[in-house]
Amino acid sequence: MSRTKMCRTKMCGILFLTFAGMSFAVEVQDRGRWPGAPYPPSGLIQAVEWSPADTVIRQADGSDNWPITWADDDHLYTAYGDGWGFVPKVDKKLSLGFAKVTGGPEDFTAVNIRTESGERQGDGHRGPKASGMLFVDGVLTMLVRNTGNSQLAWSEDYARTWRWSDWKFETSFGVPTFLNFGKDYAGARDDYVYVYSNDHDSAYEAGDRMVMARVPKVRIREQDAYEFFRELDGQGRPLWTRDIRDRGAVFVHPGRCYRSGISYNAGLKRYLWCQILPESTDSRGPRFQGGFGIYEAPEPWGPWRTVFFTETWDMGPGETSSLPPKWMSDDGRTCHLVFSGNDRFSVRKLTFRIR
């Protein structure tokens, strides 16, 4: 039985919900705002206004993934999979390649970064691919999937050379990603780094829940320094375990927990988690058709509320997506979604309407 419990009581037009011992209220009229969403509507963000479809900026045709992070040199660093990167493209198709993105969301330029120690080849599940990127204390760190299950690598020279851990996540954490804060991890809530994944050994299978780990940022390369989220106590405080077998759910959506990207919005003081739905009516997958959700919470472990949810977006949401903190306005209300829609590096502006 899940340690996360949900109970509901209706009083005076208000729906009271309890999530792992924490109670919060939602107006009854809000229940139908996001049909099919796993969590109630946000009490802070009333709506999401997307820029028109024809304003989406797309580059790097034929390349996907695109986890992204904000470095101390004020540039964004990202990784692509199953492609050739930005123009001028690399000569051979890579399962793992790298790029630097300079400028703002509407006028950026991007260049590929070549690295013998970081690049990998192999299509689909046969090739290692980046699922998380994080720049902290002058070091670019990467989580790589399809390595049975996933593995850590890091670069101290902006993705030009890489070192790889001699250990792996061999239980769960099939497609892990980092929680991103500001430039070089500025504005982090504490001295930990947080990792999220579907609770599955594979990056190609959806789980019933998401799981979470944390590690002191100065010990990120040490396997025995990781702790795993177990549950919330009666006061909503997280409880952690060193034993991965005792991991609990930090987010629940049966059969639909898949690939994701998460970042902190300092202007709104909220954690924003983008999660792709695994289903698609297109044989090429969610890159070309499908749905996704954006969820917010005041803490890295919840309680989660739905900001946006759709079974069928007006374009392919990609196989991964995230909201880079560098491209958020100071008040947090304007952001830009980076996603792999149409098998490209795609950027779409969105505006949050606050209650």
Short mmCIF file of all heavy atoms in Angstrom, two decimals, residues 6 9 84 91 111 138 141 152 218 254 260-261 265 307:
data_model
loop_
_atom_site.label_atom_id
_atom_site.label_comp_id
_atom_site.label_asym_id
_atom_site.label_seq_id
_atom_site.Cartn_x
_atom_site.Cartn_y
_atom_site.Cartn_z
N MET A 6 -4.60 10.18 0.17
CA MET A 6 -5.40 11.32 -0.23
C MET A 6 -6.82 11.11 0.28
O MET A 6 -7.43 10.07 0.05
CB MET A 6 -5.42 11.46 -1.75
CG MET A 6 -6.16 12.67 -2.26
SD MET A 6 -5.22 14.18 -2.07
CE MET A 6 -4.07 13.98 -3.42
N THR A 9 -12.94 15.98 1.85
CA THR A 9 -14.14 16.34 2.58
C THR A 9 -14.70 17.61 1.98
O THR A 9 -13.97 18.59 1.80
CB THR A 9 -13.86 16.56 4.08
OG1 THR A 9 -13.28 15.38 4.61
CG2 THR A 9 -15.16 16.87 4.83
N TRP A 84 22.45 15.45 -34.72
CA TRP A 84 23.67 16.10 -35.19
C TRP A 84 23.86 17.50 -34.60
O TRP A 84 24.76 18.21 -34.98
CB TRP A 84 23.64 16.20 -36.71
CG TRP A 84 23.53 14.88 -37.40
CD1 TRP A 84 24.55 14.12 -37.90
CD2 TRP A 84 22.33 14.16 -37.69
NE1 TRP A 84 24.07 12.97 -38.47
CE2 TRP A 84 22.70 12.96 -38.35
CE3 TRP A 84 20.97 14.39 -37.45
CZ2 TRP A 84 21.77 12.01 -38.77
CZ3 TRP A 84 20.03 13.44 -37.86
CH2 TRP A 84 20.44 12.28 -38.53
N ASP A 91 29.45 15.74 -38.02
CA ASP A 91 29.47 14.88 -39.20
C ASP A 91 28.84 13.52 -38.97
O ASP A 91 28.35 12.88 -39.91
CB ASP A 91 30.90 14.71 -39.72
CG ASP A 91 31.85 14.22 -38.63
OD1 ASP A 91 31.46 14.22 -37.44
OD2 ASP A 91 32.99 13.85 -38.96
N VAL A 111 26.03 26.73 -30.34
CA VAL A 111 27.13 26.06 -31.03
C VAL A 111 27.35 24.69 -30.41
O VAL A 111 27.19 24.51 -29.19
CB VAL A 111 28.44 26.89 -30.96
CG1 VAL A 111 28.30 28.19 -31.72
CG2 VAL A 111 28.84 27.14 -29.51
N GLY A 138 31.02 25.70 -10.25
CA GLY A 138 32.00 25.69 -11.33
C GLY A 138 32.15 24.39 -12.08
O GLY A 138 33.03 24.28 -12.93
N THR A 141 27.69 18.96 -14.32
CA THR A 141 27.43 17.56 -14.00
C THR A 141 26.25 17.06 -14.82
O THR A 141 25.30 17.79 -15.07
CB THR A 141 27.14 17.39 -12.49
OG1 THR A 141 28.23 17.93 -11.74
CG2 THR A 141 26.96 15.93 -12.12
N LEU A 152 26.55 8.92 -13.67
CA LEU A 152 26.95 10.30 -13.48
C LEU A 152 28.24 10.59 -14.26
O LEU A 152 29.12 9.75 -14.37
CB LEU A 152 27.19 10.55 -11.99
CG LEU A 152 27.22 11.98 -11.48
CD1 LEU A 152 25.80 12.55 -11.45
CD2 LEU A 152 27.82 12.02 -10.08
N VAL A 218 28.67 18.93 -2.37
CA VAL A 218 30.12 18.70 -2.36
C VAL A 218 30.46 17.21 -2.44
O VAL A 218 31.64 16.85 -2.55
CB VAL A 218 30.76 19.31 -1.11
CG1 VAL A 218 30.59 20.82 -1.11
CG2 VAL A 218 30.19 18.72 0.17
N PRO A 254 -0.45 6.96 -11.80
CA PRO A 254 -0.32 5.56 -12.23
C PRO A 254 -0.19 5.38 -13.73
O PRO A 254 -1.01 5.85 -14.52
CB PRO A 254 -1.61 4.93 -11.70
CG PRO A 254 -1.94 5.73 -10.49
CD PRO A 254 -1.58 7.14 -10.86
N SER A 260 10.98 13.94 -17.48
CA SER A 260 10.60 15.21 -16.88
C SER A 260 11.79 16.15 -16.74
O SER A 260 12.94 15.77 -16.95
CB SER A 260 9.99 14.94 -15.49
OG SER A 260 10.97 14.48 -14.56
N GLY A 261 11.47 17.40 -16.37
CA GLY A 261 12.48 18.40 -16.05
C GLY A 261 11.92 19.32 -14.99
O GLY A 261 10.75 19.71 -15.05
N ASN A 265 11.41 28.49 -9.66
CA ASN A 265 11.02 29.81 -10.11
C ASN A 265 11.13 30.75 -8.91
O ASN A 265 10.27 30.74 -8.02
CB ASN A 265 9.59 29.78 -10.66
CG ASN A 265 9.15 31.09 -11.25
OD1 ASN A 265 9.33 32.15 -10.66
ND2 ASN A 265 8.53 31.03 -12.43
N VAL A 307 -0.59 23.10 -12.61
CA VAL A 307 -0.53 24.41 -13.26
C VAL A 307 -1.11 24.33 -14.67
O VAL A 307 -1.82 25.23 -15.13
CB VAL A 307 0.92 24.92 -13.32
CG1 VAL A 307 1.03 26.19 -14.16
CG2 VAL A 307 1.46 25.15 -11.91
#
